[in-house]
Amino acid sequence: MKVRCDLHIHSCLSPCGDLEMSPNAIAQEAKKRGLDVIALTDHNTALNTPAFMTACNKAGIFGIYGIEITSSEEAHVLALFKKPETAVEMGKLVYKSLLSGKNDPEKWGDQVYLDDDENIIGEVEKYLTGGASIYSISELLEMTLKRDGIFIPAHIDKPQFSIKSQLGFLPDEEYSAIGLTKLPPIMELKGKPFITNSDAHYLHNIGDRSFTLDIEDLSFSHIKEAIVRGKITIN
Amino acid sequence: MKTDELEKNLGLVPAYNDYEINNIVTGFTSDLLSDVMGNADEDSVLITIQAHKNTIACCSLAGITAVIICSGRKVPQDMIDAAKDEGIAIFTTKDNQFTTSFKVHGIL
């Protein structure tokens, strides 16, 4: 079966994410736009993934629970998991390791997380995009794979917070796939599969970039396997 | 100047012993490794706080033979292993990049 995926979406928990980006609104909008699989990937925390799971179930769309982590190299990488609990646990380690100051909501935006009924249940104190984690790309990769997750360097061709901008070369690691914004790739990908995601911060951007996976069955393990094996068509 | 003279003259702490001794001609200070890749000279010492193994890959590609990790940041083992493989010396110092650069410039 073929499924259309967007595995890089921000919610209202990211300071740069629009307040309208509640887990529920994201799931509904993604469904409307014909996506089958979506991942929530807020910056350096996964505290909105439990509500995102309920929202995806309600909308009848397959949810993946992730984090967009700022590595010590200041490159953004995606760690994606089967269960919100795993994402939250990994997110707590990452958040604790963030070399970042306190968020100023007036300056940088709110960082709120919600319950299933869209009530605000908390606000994150550290500025989520204001500093890097102490963990390097290879350490984050190891932490993700240890938890049976999917590890994807995000938008490696962007002019900031990407492997290209921070390192200038692609370290040879066991990435599940490589995230791109444009085709053809501007770097040598060493035979790794690649995908494109929207990196949506606003509802109207969900699915702007996406990819189609050819999978045996709609489950996390089959999605992971299809990504790693490169059964991908860029939309 | 030789790598071991740099260590002794500036009171640097080596991250591992028996490092390869090279001739250090100049220095380059940056925490953005793509900048290092693009602009550093060969046979330089890199002054940075980027303590991870990708720094070594970058030094290797740029022809840098020694790294000073500033502000007392810890050097992880995989960075040390990569540096040994590539023949790149790693030192640490409590000074920040500004002070370290000033000191390095003063003795080169």
Side-chain angles (χ1 to χ4, degrees):
Chain A
M1 68 192 283
K2 296 207 168 164
V3 288
R4 192 172 153 229
C5 317
D6 183 353
L7 303 186
H8 189 164
I9 300 173
H10 291 270
S11 76
C12 50
L13 179 51
S14 293
C16 42
D18 192 38
L19 263 183
E20 274 185 13
M21 294 291 266
S22 70
N24 212 21
I26 293 169
Q28 299 288 346
E29 185 68 24
K31 186 76 186 169
K32 211 164 80 189
R33 286 171 178 254
L35 288 158
D36 304 295
V37 180
I38 53 172
L40 183 65
T41 52
D42 283 310
H43 289 288
N44 300 305
T45 178
L47 288 173
N48 253 347
T49 58
F52 183 68
M53 180 173 77
T54 310
C56 287
N57 290 342
K58 225 191 290 176
I61 192 164
F62 194 91
I64 289 181
Y65 311 99
I67 320 162
E68 180 177 21
I69 307 166
T70 312
S71 74
S72 63
E73 296 92 338
E74 298 196 336
H76 287 177
V77 297
L78 301 180
L80 309 173
F81 302 97
K82 184 180 177 181
K83 295 179 180 171
E85 302 93 271
T86 321
V88 168
E89 184 232 322
M90 172 94 171
K92 280 183 181 164
L93 290 174
V94 168
Y95 182 78
K96 211 174 141 195
S97 79
L98 269 193
L99 304 165
S100 183
K102 217 172 150 184
N103 185 42
D104 180 346
E106 299 249 314
K107 261 196 219 163
W108 297 308
D110 295 297
Q111 300 183 153
V112 294
Y113 53 103
L114 314 175
D115 67 12
D116 295 348
D117 300 319
E118 304 205 339
N119 300 306
I120 293 175
I121 49 174
E123 202 171 333
V124 172
E125 195 181 311
K126 283 186 192 173
Y127 178 35
L128 292 171
T129 56
S133 157
I134 58 162
Y135 298 119
S136 67
I137 294 169
S138 56
E139 284 172 314
L140 292 167
L141 182 139
E142 199 185 316
M143 289 159 76
T144 304
L145 297 188
K146 206 173 93 184
R147 290 169 175 81
D148 293 322
I150 298 171
F151 187 87
I152 300 167
H155 47 64
I156 69 156
D157 47 0
K158 266 179 82 168
Q160 65 277 321
F161 297 118
S162 69
I163 281 190
K164 171 80 176 160
S165 73
Q166 303 309 113
L167 298 177
F169 68 98
L170 183 68
D172 197 8
E173 300 277 5
E174 206 190 322
Y175 313 115
S176 311
I178 306 284
L180 299 175
T181 63
K182 282 191 211 96
L183 294 176
I186 54 164
M187 293 172 87
E188 169 54 47
L189 302 184
K190 298 170 182 169
K192 308 271 188 229
F194 53 87
I195 59 172
T196 55
N197 297 304
S198 71
D199 194 2
H201 291 71
Y202 298 91
L203 286 175
H204 63 263
N205 291 124
I206 291 173
D208 274 359
R209 280 187 294 258
S210 64
F211 63 97
T212 298
L213 265 188
D214 194 355
I215 55 174
E216 276 179 38
D217 185 29
L218 191 50
S219 69
F220 183 85
S221 59
H222 283 103
I223 290 168
K224 183 179 172 180
E225 195 195 334
I227 288 175
V228 172
R229 291 176 63 185
K231 294 189 160 187
I232 297 161
T233 312
I234 304 292
N235 298 320
Chain B
M1 172 172 284
K2 299 287 179 199
T3 320
D4 55 341
E5 292 172 308
L6 186 84
E7 178 200 332
K8 284 186 193 90
N9 289 341
L10 295 186
L12 301 169
V13 180
Y16 70 96
N17 295 318
D18 302 326
Y19 53 79
E20 202 172 293
I21 293 172
N22 290 290
N23 199 29
I24 291 171
V25 177
T26 184
F28 194 83
T29 305
S30 185
D31 295 321
L32 185 61
L33 294 177
S34 57
D35 175 38
V36 177
M37 287 263 293
N39 299 307
D41 292 314
E42 281 192 6
D43 300 323
S44 9
V45 54
L46 173 67
I47 297 150
T48 187
I49 54 166
Q50 289 285 12
H52 50 74
K53 74 172 184 185
N54 286 321
T55 304
I56 299 302
C58 191
C59 289
S60 171
L61 291 163
I64 290 168
T65 52
V67 185
I68 304 176
I69 300 293
C70 300
S71 301
R73 292 217 179 183
K74 281 189 184 152
V75 180
Q77 189 57 45
D78 61 356
M79 185 182 188
I80 293 174
D81 296 342
K84 282 181 179 170
D85 286 348
E86 298 291 337
I88 293 168
I90 308 177
F91 303 108
T92 59
T93 175
K94 284 186 181 149
D95 291 333
N96 65 20
Q97 298 95 307
F98 172 78
T99 308
T100 308
S101 303
F102 181 78
K103 288 181 176 175
V104 168
H105 186 265
I107 61 159
L108 282 182

